[in-house]
Each structure stands twice: as structure tokens, then as C-alpha cells.
Amino acid sequence: MRTEELIGLLAQDAEPVAPYAIERRFALAAAGGWLGALVLMLVLFGVRPGLAQDMALPMFWGKLVFAALLAAGCLAVLRRLARPGMGLGHSLVLLALPPLVLWGLAAVALGQAGPAERLPLVLGSTWRSCAFNIAALSLPALVASLWALRGAAPTRLAWAGAGAGLLAGALGSLAYALHCPEMAAPFLAVWYLAGMALPTLAGAWLGPRVLRW
């Protein structure tokens, strides 16, 4: 069979792809992943008893906004990684901005604190478990994000997997924030990002194995 005949055979039943099909797929994955993280949080940890009082604190909303903006940045990157040959463009700025702002707030908080107060601001009361809890809650979103990528055509498989893992970590932390008592920016800048790094590394490892096409 000649190459032209093979191409014609493969293309004869081809149908146009629906507009924004990849974006809709990622939106579905993000929504399903966050709902899965929320259910898992309720089963494993439960909502923090003082949540109503915490909602009066600006930093409670700050950590929710941080996680949500980071998830949005991940989606902007993933929609490009899902398409072969597409550059990342300005999506990296959207991804980098939330951590940079959080690190800036953490630096200000540490600069204003006395020497004896700095380590408690970083460690809080839950530093031993925070990163692992976020990583555990990210599992539903990691599965959903990899599913979304499987329906696309990524070529940078490790990077795509890492992006899926970071999105999962952001969504996991968004759910975990409803249980976590920590409010200090230095704590969030270290342990929330450490919790997101775990699924990011897992995604980078899984990407070449599950996204190959």
C-alpha cells in the first residue's frame, strides 16, 4: 500500500474536532478532580471546626486565592502542552506569579518578625503532615488530569505529566485549606508548595509512561 493510500484510508472517516474540545476536557477534569479532593478531605480529615471564624481572616481567603490562581496557571500551561508544537507563551507568567507573590509575602512576614518568631512562622503546628496530606488529596485530580491529557496529543510527556501533577496539587491544596488551620505566609510558602511538589514529581514520572501515543 502506498503512503498516499494509507493517509486517505486513515482520513476517510475523520471528523472535525469540536471547538475548545481540549479546554472543555480540562475544565471537566479540574472540576472532577477538585470535587474528588473535597470528598476525600471530608472523609479523611473533615472541615476545620473553627472554619466560620477563619473566614473572617484575610489570609484564609488568601490561601484559597493562591491555590485557585495557581490551578488557573496550570490549566493555561496544560492547554498548550496538550497540543503538539505549541509554545508556552505567556502562560508561564500566569503559572509563576502566584508562588512569587506568596514568597514575597513570606519574606515580608519573616522580615517583620523577631528572630525567635521566624521558625514557628515557617513550621506552624502541622508541618510534619501538611505536605503529605495535600499530596494525598491530589490523587483524584492527578488521575483526572492525566485522563484529560490522554485525550489530547502532548509530545513533551514528562513536562505534561508534571503540569498535570502541579494542577492536582493546587486542587488538592484548595480542598485541604478547608481543614488546615495554618494562616502564616511563610508556612504556606514552604509546606503548601512542598505538598504540590510531590504530585508534580509523580506526574513527571508517570507522563512518559501513561501519555505515550
Side-chain angles (χ1 to χ4, degrees):
M1 180 181 292
R2 293 184 301 174
T3 303
E4 294 80 1
E5 294 174 341
L6 177 59
I7 293 173
L9 182 63
L10 293 173
Q12 66 181 2
D13 294 325
E15 297 179 357
V17 178
Y20 304 107
I22 290 177
E23 286 78 6
R24 287 199 296 269
R25 192 174 180 89
F26 277 118
L28 180 61
W34 183 76
L35 286 174
L38 183 61
V39 170
L40 201 56
M41 183 275 295
L42 293 173
V43 171
L44 295 179
F45 310 120
V47 173
R48 175 170 164 75
L51 181 63
Q53 290 78 14
D54 290 347
M55 292 174 69
L57 302 174
M59 202 57 200
F60 170 79
W61 296 104
K63 65 181 179 178
L64 292 180
V65 169
F66 161 69
L69 289 178
L70 187 58
C74 289
L75 287 171
V77 169
L78 281 173
R79 67 181 290 272
R80 291 177 169 270
L81 286 172
R83 294 177 167 92
M86 179 175 281
L88 297 180
H90 297 298
S91 63
L92 284 179
V93 176
L94 297 176
L95 184 62
L97 193 57
L100 290 175
V101 171
L102 181 59
W103 286 332
L105 292 174
V108 170
L110 291 174
Q112 292 176 343
E117 300 172 326
R118 289 170 186 163
L119 188 60
L121 282 176
V122 173
L123 297 182
S125 60
T126 63
W127 67 272
R128 292 181 180 86
S129 59
C130 176
F132 299 107
N133 291 344
I134 289 174
L137 296 184
S138 74
L139 291 176
L142 179 58
V143 172
S145 300
L146 291 174
W147 165 81
L149 281 170
R150 285 277 295 174
T155 54
R156 293 161 284 184
L157 303 185
W159 286 108
L166 184 56
L167 172 61
L171 294 173
S173 69
L174 191 59
Y176 184 65
L178 301 179
H179 167 80
C180 176
E182 308 290 352
M183 299 290 174
F187 179 94
L188 303 177
V190 174
W191 302 108
Y192 268 48
L193 288 173
M196 296 178 197
L198 295 175
T200 301
L201 293 173
W205 183 82
L206 286 169
R209 291 159 176 81
V210 303
L211 299 178
R212 186 178 291 114
W213 52 281

